[in-house]
Amino acid sequence: MQVKLKKMATSLVLSRFILLLFVTCFAATSSATTSTTTLKRHPGFLYSRTRGRCTPQFWSSMKEAWPRMVPQTSTVLNVFGSRAFDRYRSDMTLLESTAMNEDGNVFDKLLKQASAALLNSYSRKGFPYSAWEVKTLMIQGLVSEDAAARLTKRFSIANDACS
């Protein structure tokens, strides 16, 4: 009789353990499925953060058609004027400027943010800068590194806040 009770107690403990293991595995699978779904919606590196629809990264990804006023093949020289000729390649396109590496100098960062701001001014209602303001401010920002840094920050804030 005692052997039978011992076997029943062992069986009860094992069944509870298996139930706990099953529930744990089910919860882990459910969690993994949820995080996989999340990753599918936000492709990229594991630690990348989601960026808005107005950033240079968004415009360089070509997820949306560019405004007709500034096609992707427009050169920086044609869009921002002769003052840009001193700082940038004459054949650099706006698409290249939005995809630039941010490790460059302050003028490269300004161009990247100003290009996105120009695209946003044409395509986003309520963007705080008009196209002519972006072009004028860009020319003013090319005067010095301090001016470029201040203007880069202003454009970056406007681009990040836009939706």
Side-chain angles (χ1 to χ4, degrees):
M1 178 98 170
Q2 283 187 348
V3 174
K4 211 175 194 184
L5 285 175
K6 232 180 190 181
K7 281 184 180 181
M8 251 188 346
T10 305
S11 173
L12 184 62
V13 170
L14 279 176
S15 63
R16 285 185 179 173
F17 178 72
I18 290 172
L19 180 63
L20 180 65
L21 184 64
F22 177 74
V23 170
T24 306
C25 288
F26 181 74
T29 305
S30 175
S31 173
T33 305
T34 304
S35 64
T36 303
T37 305
T38 303
L39 289 176
K40 285 181 183 175
R41 273 190 270 141
H42 303 292
F45 294 101
L46 183 60
Y47 295 106
S48 65
R49 62 183 185 164
T50 306
R51 300 299 298 250
R53 292 183 45 231
C54 301
T55 62
Q57 293 84 357
F58 174 80
W59 287 111
S60 66
S61 71
M62 298 181 287
K63 290 182 181 177
E64 184 178 313
W66 281 39
R68 291 183 185 170
M69 296 297 293
V70 279
Q72 296 172 353
T73 56
S74 298
T75 63
V76 171
L77 180 62
N78 287 342
V79 172
F80 291 114
S82 61
R83 189 77 180 219
F85 182 74
D86 297 336
R87 301 272 184 209
Y88 310 105
R89 293 188 344 252
S90 61
D91 64 338
M92 179 181 275
T93 65
L94 280 185
L95 179 60
E96 289 175 319
S97 71
T98 59
M100 288 174 64
N101 191 351
E102 291 190 16
D103 295 337
N105 63 34
V106 69
F107 296 108
D108 291 345
K109 292 176 184 177
L110 171 61
L111 177 61
K112 186 172 186 169
Q113 292 296 331
S115 297
L118 182 66
L119 293 165
N120 294 328
S121 70
Y122 282 120
S123 62
R124 307 284 189 250
K125 287 185 178 182
F127 190 72
Y129 298 102
S130 67
W132 70 266
E133 285 177 307
V134 173
K135 292 177 181 183
T136 303
L137 288 170
M138 171 67 176
I139 292 168
Q140 292 173 357
L142 293 173
V143 173
S144 70
E145 288 187 9
D146 288 339
R150 281 193 308 271
L151 191 55
T152 300
K153 186 165 181 74
R154 285 176 59 187
F155 281 149
S156 177
I157 290 169
N159 291 335
D160 288 340
C162 170
S163 59

